[in-house]
């Protein structure tokens, strides 16, 4: 990264920003907090009326789009079809001063706003009316259980009729309460379901207050009716309500059709307008990062080294040379952002790197190496030709076919890589859909011999190979750390660091010693080969001790303790890699269970169907479970065993000043 600064005339700034936002060249810095301008008193710029106006119109456009939700037509004929990746509808646009853009916008938005608002308001009223009609219809249906209509409940000179629903368990208690209050009443109850009953109560009007209090105590909910039904009998009320509901539904359908027609004609344009408003708002918000004098703007930002010339040329061309530019190397107090730039095959693994933490500007990006080590270790854990091919298909579908974005798409492509290496490992292990050896011949009609080993048959050898892979993996981490230290001229650290040459020495020497003499009689091996033990293990620990004491300035005793702790940590790190083949063995064990269940099926047509069900179901279960477990364990080996040797991941990603367009594109003049 290089720091590019520019002073441009204020009347040239807008054209420059409109050009830069399409290129993604520069990540702007806050001029007022930049070390390069700490000795200058440059007043900060601010947002303008554009920000306020754009935010206002965005709110109004979003309100219209919300009204279209649920009625807008979607392309595709199925759920899968909707998920398939497709190009968005895009239109060419030209850009000029913000005054021109906002000039004729009010009339266009207001007309559409009023049209949609009128339909939406009527739909809301219809919804409320429908709810009232539905409630009345339900109440009349309950009245039907008693054989009375709405007009049977009103018009009495001295009596008050109340009808409602209450728990059946409260009916007896309500009667007793009314009798205790010495209220003269007539009541009739009918069961509605297992829990509730409908009850009609007649009492004198002067006792209405006491009756209502008693009803509330016993949880009676009074039925409510529209006042328009009071003069109707039961059948008349039912007919009027049914006609009213049908009429409202017809009107609602008509209004929804009108709204759908508006959405069909206007939604694409609104989405395009919304995008243009977001562009104007985004550009104006960026002003707060700039300095402002009476006639100029001061800009400053990070630019990738290979694009510096392009950035300077763009600034000079768009300002017609009326500018002052400078290019600087990062200063010591600067923290440049990191731009991950990897080949297409490694690009998906950036997701895992950034999940741990983006690399700082002074760190090596582990993604290109991890693009090999991650799927390789995953494949060794999950070695199966058939299931690997299925995984590749799943990864291709997620990564290239579905309409997914960002992390989900990158995860799909990572799964594709893992599936490829799982397939390769399947050939090494001689496993196809969980079947090996003669069982493969019996159930699939062919036999695939292992090109390397069968983890289940040679478990001890398999775990030993896993430990060697782990040692090589840890050595690779130390070598990367050494390169990092040398690049920053920390030559002593590259030698004496636990994760430098001393660490490689200890790993290789310890491995050779243990491989030669074993662990069954480690004491005898040490006593019988003192010289080799000192050279292979004690010497690198001694270098680590002196290094810790000299570099970090701690006491010699504490340095020795740190060196011993690092040595034991390497032992734990190495043993941790045994899980590579342990999971491969578990995969074989689960496959053996599946085969055993298939062999238990009888030799008949029904038995053949049963074998097929077990085979398909078993493979699906193994694929889902082990794919998840192997992925997590591979991440653990990289994050905790490998990254800890050379990688901190405390950087900030490069986020250039750029707009992402989905519905528009800038028309070239």
């Amino acid at each position: 990264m290089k720091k590019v600064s520019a002073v441009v005339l204020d009347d040239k700034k807008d054209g420059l920003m409109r050009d830069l936002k399409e290129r993604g060249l520069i990540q702007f810095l806050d001029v007022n907090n930049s070390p390069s301008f700490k000795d200058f008193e440059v007043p900060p710029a601010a947002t303008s009326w554009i920000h306020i106006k754009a935010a206002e119109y965005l709110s109004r456009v979003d309100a219209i789009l919300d009204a279209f939700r649920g009625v807008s037509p979607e392309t595709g004929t199925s759920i899968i079809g909707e998920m398939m990746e497709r190009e968005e509808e895009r239109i060419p646009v030209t850009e000029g001063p913000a005054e021109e853009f906002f000039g004729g916008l009010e009339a266009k938005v207001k007309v559409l706003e009023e049209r949609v608002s009128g339909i939406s308001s009527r739909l809301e009223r219809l919804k409320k009316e429908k709810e009232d009609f539905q409630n009345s219809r339900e109440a009349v249906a309950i009245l039907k259980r008693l054989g009375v209509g709405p007009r049977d409940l009103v018009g009495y000179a001295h009596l008050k009729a109340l009808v409602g629903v209450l728990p059946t368990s409260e009916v007896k208690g309500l009667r007793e309460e009314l009798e205790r209050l010495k209220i003269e009443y007539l009541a009739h109850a009918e069961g509605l379901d297992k829990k509730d009953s409908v009850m009609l109560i007649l009492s004198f009007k002067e006792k209405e207050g006491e009756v209502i209090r008693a009803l509330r105590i016993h949880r009676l909910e009074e039925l409510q009716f529209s006042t328009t039904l009071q003069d109707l009998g039961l059948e008349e009320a039912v007919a009027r309500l049914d006609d009213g509901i049908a009429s409202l539904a017809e009107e609602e359908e008509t209004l929804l059709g009108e709204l759908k027609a508006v959405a069909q004609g206007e939604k694409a344009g609104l989405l395009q307008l919304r995008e243009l408003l977001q562009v104007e708002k985004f550009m104006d918000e960026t002003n707060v990062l700039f300095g402002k004098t009476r006639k100029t703007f001061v800009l400053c930002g990070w630019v990738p080294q290979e694009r510096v010339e392009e950035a300077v040329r763009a600034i000079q061309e768009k300002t017609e040379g009326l500018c002052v530019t400078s290019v600087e190397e990062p200063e010591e107090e600067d923290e440049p952002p990191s731009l991950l730039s990897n080949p297409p095959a490694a690009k998906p693994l950036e997701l895992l790197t950034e999940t741990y933490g983006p690399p700082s500007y002074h760190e090596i990006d582990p993604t290109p190496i991890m693009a090999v080590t991650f799927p390789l270790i995953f494949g060794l854990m999950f070695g199966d030709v058939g299931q690997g091919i299925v995984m590749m298909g799943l990864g291709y579908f997620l990564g290239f076919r579905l309409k997914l974005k960002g992390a989900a798409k990158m995860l799909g492509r990572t799964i594709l890589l893992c599936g490829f290496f799982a397939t390769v490992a399947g050939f090494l292990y001689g496993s196809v859909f969980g079947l090996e050896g003669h069982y493969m011949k019996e159930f699939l009609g062919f036999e695939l011999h292992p090109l390397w080993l069968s983890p289940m048959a040679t478990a001890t050898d398999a775990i030993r190979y896993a430990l060697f892979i782990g040692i090589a993996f840890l050595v690779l981490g130390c070598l990367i750390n050494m390169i990092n230290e040398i690049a920053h001229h920390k030559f002593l650290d590259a030698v004496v660091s636990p994760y430098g040459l001393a660490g490689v020495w200890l790993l290789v020497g310890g491995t050779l010693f243990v491989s030669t003499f074993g662990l069954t009689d480690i004491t005898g091996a040490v006593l019988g080969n003192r010289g080799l033990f000192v050279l292979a293990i004690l010497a690198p620990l001694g270098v680590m001790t002196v290094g810790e004491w000299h570099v970090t300035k701690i006491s010699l005793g504490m340095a020795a303790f740190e060196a011993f702790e690092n040595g034991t940590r390497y032992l734990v790190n190495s043993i941790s890699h045994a899980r590579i083949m342990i999971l491969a063995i578990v995969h074989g064990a689960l496959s053996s269970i599946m085969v055993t269940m298939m062999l238990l099926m009888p030799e008949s047509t029904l038995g053949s169907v049963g074998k097929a069900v077990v085979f398909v179901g078993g493979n699906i279960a193994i694929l889902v479970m082990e794919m998840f477990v192997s992925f997590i364990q591979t991440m653990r080996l990289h994050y905790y065993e490998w990254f800890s040797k050379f990688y901190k991941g405390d950087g900030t990603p490069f986020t250039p000043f750029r707009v992402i367009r989905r519905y528009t594109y800038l028309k070239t003049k």
Side-chain angles (χ1 to χ4, degrees), residues 1 6 391 439 460 514 566 596 628:
M1 288 288 171
M391 199 184 309
Y439 291 122
T460 303
V514 172
N566 284 315
T596 301
F628 177 76

Side-chain angles (χ1 to χ4, degrees), residues 71 107 271 434 553 615:
V71 299
L271 289 172
K553 307 301 181 184
F615 179 72

Side-chain angles (χ1 to χ4, degrees), residues 341-487:
S341 180
N342 292 294
K347 201 75 176 172
L349 276 297
E350 288 179 359
L351 171 65
L352 299 179
T353 301
E354 291 178 337
T355 299
Y356 186 88
S360 72
Y361 184 69
H362 305 291
E363 280 186 309
I364 292 176
D365 177 12
T367 305
I369 303 171
M370 194 163 60
V372 176
T373 61
F374 191 94
L376 173 62
I377 290 176
F378 178 94
L380 291 173
M381 291 181 180
F382 192 112
D384 189 282
V385 175
Q387 293 169 5
I389 291 173
V390 172
M391 199 184 309
M392 288 173 64
L394 175 63
Y396 172 75
F397 196 64
L398 293 173
F400 292 95
R401 297 297 296 160
L402 290 189
K403 191 173 56 177
L404 302 176
K405 302 294 181 185
K409 183 179 288 289
M410 292 299 102
L411 179 61
R413 296 180 182 185
T414 301
I415 291 173
L416 173 60
L417 284 174
C418 291
F420 172 76
F421 277 83
T423 303
V424 173
F427 283 105
L428 297 178
Y429 298 161
S431 175
V432 180
F433 287 117
L435 302 176
E436 298 181 17
H438 67 278
Y439 291 122
M440 193 187 305
K441 180 74 172 177
E442 179 178 347
F443 293 112
L444 298 181
F446 63 89
E447 191 170 352
L448 178 67
H449 297 286
L451 299 179
W452 182 28
L453 56 79
S454 171
M456 276 283 288
T458 57
T460 303
D461 289 341
I463 291 176
R464 186 173 73 253
Y465 286 129
L467 294 176
F468 285 137
I469 292 170
I471 297 295
F473 196 42
L474 296 174
V475 167
L476 177 61
C478 292
L479 292 175
I480 296 173
N481 185 62
M482 289 171 62
I483 294 170
N484 231 4
E485 300 287 20
I486 292 170

Side-chain angles (χ1 to χ4, degrees), residues 207 554 583:
K207 296 290 186 178
I554 61 177
L583 282 175

Side-chain angles (χ1 to χ4, degrees), residues 47 181 185 260 300 327 359 378 390 410 424 475 638 646 649 652:
T47 57
L181 294 172
Y185 73 94
K260 184 175 182 179
C300 181
V327 179
F378 178 94
V390 172
M410 292 299 102
V424 173
V475 167
H638 279 78
F646 68 94
T652 55

